[in-house]
């Protein structure tokens, strides 16, 4: 299974972590970028389509601007990202040029993907670049990303890209070998897990909470990204990018790393987008009858099953559905604003027209816009 999923993958999204391409003191790691570029160009010659997501702009910017410490304020981080990004892309451009491979730069914010039209537009651009035999190199557009519109870390961004381009395989290159049975820094007996069949709470717990200032992610965001893309049928491989030749070995069916198998159920792209790209603006607390009807009977959500409404949202916004205990079990696009919903929660559909006047939607969330998690 592992062998087939990796060696047979045609379209591959590769995420390269900050620590691989840059260090705070020395700036860009030109040797490593050169080696990875050669290995990736080699994968291209095996008829694979490659999309890169590379971090490292901020760290490269720290050295370029001569900053003494990791920038703490947002403007300083953004300034470092702007200075570092041009440096980073220049290094890739140069290294790939030596292999005869063309590259292109794409900078994205989370907001670019939350609008369905812009999402599809980004998809067209990326697939066109792939058809033109170019390797797109993506990073978050850190210079304009404020909290509300940012991905926050490149594991999440890269997972979204794997969905965007409908990848066969998502590879996260970092400075760890993969997922271990225990924290290998604390227990030398810890063993690398070659295949994770399902991301259970136990697996999530093994990921611990390790993270550094430089790599915004850590194992937790990697596993979350693997979980999200797994719902779209995409397997994720976490491997060490520091190890020479490992990338080539892995694509030849050897070598280490942890492969996370995808779910059998593959969500359609639009549903995946509703569940994993959009961020809920509010929450609907539903009674047991509504939970049952949504989860097991394929129904749309009606006003009578709503116990409570949390947050403020408008018609068309994404919301999360939770049961009476607060456990999230679905996400969807809501047809009415939080204000209107307050007036009709718990009411029969017949009463709704009287209360709201005019012709409103019967369903609060239509089945087509609802994803059971
Ligand atoms: N976009 C950030 C950068 O290029 C990296 C974010 C991350 O490490 O996840 O510096």
């Amino acid at each position: 299974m592992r062998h087939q999923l990796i060696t047979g993958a045609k379209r591959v999204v590769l995420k390269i972590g900050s620590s691989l391409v840059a260090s705070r003191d020395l700036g860009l790691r030109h040797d490593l970028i050169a080696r990875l570029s050669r290995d990736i160009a080699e994968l291209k010659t095996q008829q694979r389509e490659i999309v890169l997501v590379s971090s490292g702009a901020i760290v490269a910017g720290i050295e370029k601007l001569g900053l003494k410490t990791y920038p703490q304020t947002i403007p300083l981080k953004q300034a470092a990202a702007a200075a570092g990004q041009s440096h980073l892309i220049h290094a890739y451009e140069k290294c790939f040029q030596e292999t005869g491979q063309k590259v292109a730069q794409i900078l994205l914010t989370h907001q670019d993907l939350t609008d369905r039209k812009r999402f599809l537009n980004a998809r067209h651009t990326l697939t066109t670049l792939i058809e033109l035999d170019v390797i797109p190199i993506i990073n978050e557009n850190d210079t304009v990303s404020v909290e509300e519109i940012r991905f926050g870390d490149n594991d999440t961004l890269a997972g979204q890209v794997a969905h965007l381009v409908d990848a066969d395989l998502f590879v996260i290159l970092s400075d760890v070998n993969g997922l271990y049975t225990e924290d290998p820094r604390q227990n030398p007996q810890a063993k690398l897990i070659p295949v994770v069949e399902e991301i259970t709470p136990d697996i999530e717990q093994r990921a611990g909470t390790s993270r550094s200032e430089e790599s915004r992610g850590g194992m937790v965001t990697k596993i979350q990204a693997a979980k999200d893309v797994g719902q779209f049928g995409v397997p994720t491989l976490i491997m060490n990018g520091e190890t020479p030749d490992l990338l080539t070995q892995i694509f030849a069916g050897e070598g280490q790393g942890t492969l996370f198998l995808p779910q059998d159920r593959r969500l359609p792209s639009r549903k995946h987008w509703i569940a994993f790209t959009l961020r809920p603006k509010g929450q609907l607390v539903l009674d047991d009858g509504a939970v049952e009807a949504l989860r097991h009977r394929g129904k749309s959500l009606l006003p009578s099953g709503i116990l409570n409404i949390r947050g403020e949202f408008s018609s068309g916004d994404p919301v999360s559905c939770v049961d009476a205990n607060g456990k999230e079990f679905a996400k969807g696009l809501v047809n009415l604003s939080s204000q209107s919903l307050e007036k009709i929660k718990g009411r029969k559909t017949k009463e709704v027209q009287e209360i709201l006047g005019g012709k409103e939607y019967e369903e609060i969330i239509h089945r087509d816009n609802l994803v059971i998690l």
Side-chain angles (χ1 to χ4, degrees):
M1 182 74 140
R2 176 180 154 124
H3 187 273
Q4 167 59 23
L5 286 174
I6 298 175
T7 57
K10 183 164 181 340
R11 185 168 291 184
V12 183
V13 170
L14 281 161
K15 186 256 171 178
I16 304 184
S18 288
S19 62
L20 291 179
V21 292
S23 86
R24 267 193 232 187
D25 308 326
L26 304 171
L28 285 179
R29 300 177 66 188
H30 290 278
D31 291 355
L32 214 119
I33 296 177
R35 177 168 65 67
L36 286 175
S37 302
R38 278 196 301 274
D39 290 352
I40 293 165
E42 168 73 26
L43 294 184
K44 269 300 263 74
T45 64
Q46 303 166 356
Q47 310 301 319
R48 297 186 209 268
E49 300 166 339
I50 308 283
V51 176
L52 277 188
V53 176
S54 180
S55 307
I58 297 180
V59 182
I62 294 175
E63 188 266 346
K64 184 171 168 185
L65 299 179
L67 304 179
K68 297 270 177 296
T69 53
Y70 192 86
Q72 298 299 328
T73 66
I74 290 180
L76 203 52
K77 268 185 204 157
Q78 294 181 321
Q85 178 64 26
S86 61
H87 221 35
L88 181 67
I89 207 75
H90 181 247
Y92 276 118
E93 181 93 58
K94 214 168 87 247
C95 293
F96 273 112
Q97 213 161 39
E98 279 167 23
T99 71
Q101 176 62 53
K102 293 193 187 85
V103 298
Q105 172 183 253
I106 296 190
L107 299 175
L108 289 173
T109 63
H110 183 256
Q111 213 175 23
D112 292 325
L113 302 186
T114 55
D115 179 296
R116 190 69 188 161
K117 259 200 210 140
R118 274 157 77 185
F119 175 94
L120 294 174
N121 202 17
R123 174 179 281 172
H124 290 147
T125 309
L126 281 164
T127 42
T128 306
L129 284 168
I130 293 170
E131 277 160 24
L132 291 170
D133 222 17
V134 174
I135 296 183
I137 305 180
I138 304 171
N139 197 355
E140 174 149 18
N141 196 353
D142 289 305
T143 50
V144 297
S145 290
V146 286
E147 214 48 57
E148 311 80 69
I149 62 163
R150 56 178 306 120
F151 291 100
D153 65 81
N154 274 10
D155 297 324
T156 308
L157 164 64
Q160 299 283 341
V161 169
H163 164 224
L164 190 64
V165 301
D166 196 359
D168 299 315
L169 178 67
F170 173 35
V171 181
I172 302 179
L173 291 146
S174 84
D175 54 5
V176 295
N177 294 330
L179 186 68
Y180 281 84
T181 48
E182 280 166 78
D183 187 341
R185 287 166 305 184
Q186 277 161 28
N187 183 356
Q189 308 293 320
K191 290 204 170 53
L192 187 68
I193 306 174
V195 176
V196 172
E197 282 179 21
E198 196 189 342
I199 303 177
T200 56
D202 175 56
I203 290 289
E204 286 176 299
Q205 203 220 321
R206 281 176 210 280
T209 49
S210 71
R211 53 159 64 211
S212 69
E213 240 172 0
E214 279 148 41
S215 326
R216 297 221 189 106
M219 206 37 115
V220 176
T221 51
K222 290 179 181 41
I223 289 184
Q224 187 57 47
K227 206 170 165 184
D228 291 357
V229 300
Q231 300 264 358
F232 192 55
V234 184
T236 300
L237 179 82
I238 298 181
M239 59 166 281
N240 200 328
E242 300 268 6
T243 318
D245 300 327
L246 189 57
L247 200 56
T248 325
Q249 285 168 13
I250 280 192
F251 276 91
E254 300 148 25
Q256 290 186 331
T258 301
L259 184 74
F260 296 80
L261 301 185
Q263 300 278 304
D264 292 337
R265 170 187 88 149
R266 185 187 200 272
L267 283 175
S269 175
R270 189 172 164 282
K271 288 220 169 179
H272 191 278
W273 173 78
I274 290 173
F276 299 106
T277 301
L278 301 184
R279 291 178 182 154
K281 295 254 171 74
Q283 222 179 43
L284 306 183
V285 185
L286 308 184
D287 67 18
D288 294 350
V291 174
E292 156 73 18
L294 262 50
R295 285 190 92 133
H296 303 297
R297 286 191 280 123
K299 299 282 188 205
S300 297
L301 177 65
L302 303 178
S304 56
I306 304 177
L307 295 172
N308 243 319
I309 293 128
R310 299 198 180 121
E312 273 181 33
F313 46 83
S314 313
S315 140
D317 277 344
V319 292
S320 126
C321 299
V322 303
D323 64 18
N325 298 321
K327 189 171 173 356
E328 181 182 64
F329 72 96
K331 287 185 186 169
L333 302 179
V334 68
N335 284 333
L336 293 178
S337 68
S338 45
Q339 243 179 356
S340 304
L341 278 184
E342 274 302 342
K343 296 185 196 149
I344 60 160
K345 68 180 182 198
R347 299 300 191 104
K348 295 263 173 304
T349 306
K350 285 204 300 277
E351 301 171 279
V352 171
Q353 264 190 20
E354 252 169 63
I355 301 169
L356 294 179
K359 194 165 163 31
E360 293 283 354
Y361 294 97
E362 270 187 21
E363 304 92 1
I364 302 308
I365 300 178
H366 190 275
R367 190 71 206 171
D368 293 346
N369 293 328
L370 183 81
V371 188
I372 305 298
L373 302 172

